[in-house]
Amino acid sequence: MPVFLTELHAHTAETSRCAHNSAKTLVDAYLAKGFRTVVITDHLSESTFEAKDALDAPWNEKVDIFLKGYRAAKAYAGDRLHILLGMELRFAAKGNINDYLVYGVTEDFLRNNGDLLKMRLASFSRLAHKNGLLIFQAHPFRNDMKIVNPDFLDGVEVFNGCVRHDSRNEIALHWAQLHGLLGTSGSDYHQTGDEGRGGIQTQVPIQSSNDLLSVLKDGSFTRIETK
């Protein structure tokens, strides 16, 4: 039976200021690794718009900036690689540096719900779940991150493949198990060499966000964890 590989945490230089590689380079890297699907989780944060000199831009313009990397990856990939839209969301509240991976995101959701950065986790959680989205706290045990009320989450990124940070993945896994949360894995792709360090394997292809949500909800995946 074939195994299908999906990346759940990847960034493009077109959008995320911390990413070093273009969407084109990302697509080529994941095709070379044998992946079938990549979820583009560029940063939706004040930092993204500061880098683009767009902190005071209207929200719809910010959405266009946020979508640049996803759109570039999707256009270049064509039918060779499934490119799905996600986000790594950081609220603008003073002192907050927590990040949340959100799956099932659509352009309509981004445009129709106002400035998401002005929300807090509790209110965003209600909105996201009303719209069928899933929320996973990214690398919750890195330095200066804070654990949050698990009632607002669907899961936790229990394996983060980035070698430039200590994400304390073992603690994240224990935390998820303690609270009955789903546990995912992602490469946290920013530059060459990051590709495929994390992600998930499935027995069925993930070709759409609906496919992804179904797989995550029922836990029918195996985590990729490259130590």
Side-chain angles (χ1 to χ4, degrees), residues 11-12 19 46 62 66 80 96 101 107-109 113 119 136 140 157 168 170 200 209:
H11 300 281
T12 69
E46 285 194 323
K62 290 182 176 179
F66 171 74
R80 298 176 299 154
N96 172 64
L101 294 164
E107 183 172 333
D108 284 345
F109 176 82
N113 290 290
M119 301 185 77
F136 290 74
E157 184 182 49
R168 300 175 178 87
E170 296 82 2
I200 59 173
S209 286

Side-chain angles (χ1 to χ4, degrees), residues 194-206:
D194 292 347
E195 61 273 10
R197 295 187 59 81
I200 59 173
Q201 301 179 20
T202 58
Q203 298 297 318
V204 297
I206 295 175

Side-chain angles (χ1 to χ4, degrees), residues 11-227:
H11 300 281
T12 69
E14 285 84 348
T15 296
S16 296
R17 70 185 300 173
C18 53
H20 298 282
N21 286 350
S22 68
K24 178 180 181 295
T25 301
L26 178 155
V27 168
D28 287 339
Y30 277 93
L31 285 171
K33 282 283 187 178
F35 276 66
R36 299 290 189 91
T37 305
V38 173
V39 186
I40 302 297
T41 55
D42 275 319
H43 289 283
L44 186 64
S45 68
E46 285 194 323
S47 176
T48 295
F49 304 120
E50 287 172 347
K52 309 297 183 183
D53 196 25
L55 196 56
D56 297 321
W59 180 247
N60 270 335
E61 289 184 22
K62 290 182 176 179
V63 171
D64 287 332
I65 291 170
F66 171 74
L67 291 172
K68 280 188 80 171
Y70 161 74
R71 287 172 170 169
K74 193 169 181 65
Y76 179 69
D79 59 4
R80 298 176 299 154
L81 185 68
H82 299 294
I83 301 294
L84 306 184
L85 178 62
M87 63 182 173
E88 186 170 3
L89 174 63
R90 179 179 291 190
F91 302 111
K94 185 176 181 181
N96 172 64
I97 62 167
N98 280 353
D99 295 309
Y100 303 96
L101 294 164
V102 186
Y103 303 113
V105 180
T106 66
E107 183 172 333
D108 284 345
F109 176 82
L110 294 173
R111 295 197 187 278
N112 295 338
N113 290 290
D115 189 340
L116 300 177
L117 302 185
K118 293 180 179 178
M119 301 185 77
R120 301 292 182 103
L121 179 58
S123 56
F124 178 77
S125 178
R126 290 191 293 271
L127 175 66
H129 292 142
K130 180 181 178 181
N131 285 271
L133 280 55
L134 296 179
I135 307 168
F136 290 74
Q137 187 171 2
H139 42 67
F141 290 95
R142 280 188 188 173
N143 290 346
D144 301 321
M145 301 286 167
K146 296 180 180 179
I147 56 175
V148 298
N149 186 337
D151 291 342
F152 299 143
L153 303 173
D154 298 289
V156 170
E157 184 182 49
V158 301
F159 182 85
N160 181 284
C162 182
V163 298
R164 295 174 296 281
H165 295 277
D166 183 358
S167 296
R168 300 175 178 87
N169 292 322
E170 296 82 2
I171 301 175
L173 176 60
H174 176 72
W175 181 256
Q177 292 172 337
L178 181 65
H179 292 283
L181 295 170
L182 298 168
T184 57
S185 167
S187 297
D188 204 355
Y189 174 90
H190 287 79
Q191 63 188 47
T192 301
D194 292 347
E195 61 273 10
R197 295 187 59 81
I200 59 173
Q201 301 179 20
T202 58
Q203 298 297 318
V204 297
I206 295 175
Q207 301 179 350
S208 68
S209 286
N210 284 338
D211 292 342
L212 175 63
L213 294 175
S214 295
V215 164
L216 293 178
K217 286 176 183 177
D218 64 24
S220 56
F221 61 87
T222 301
R223 290 189 295 268
I224 300 167
E225 300 182 0
T226 303
K227 306 296 186 182

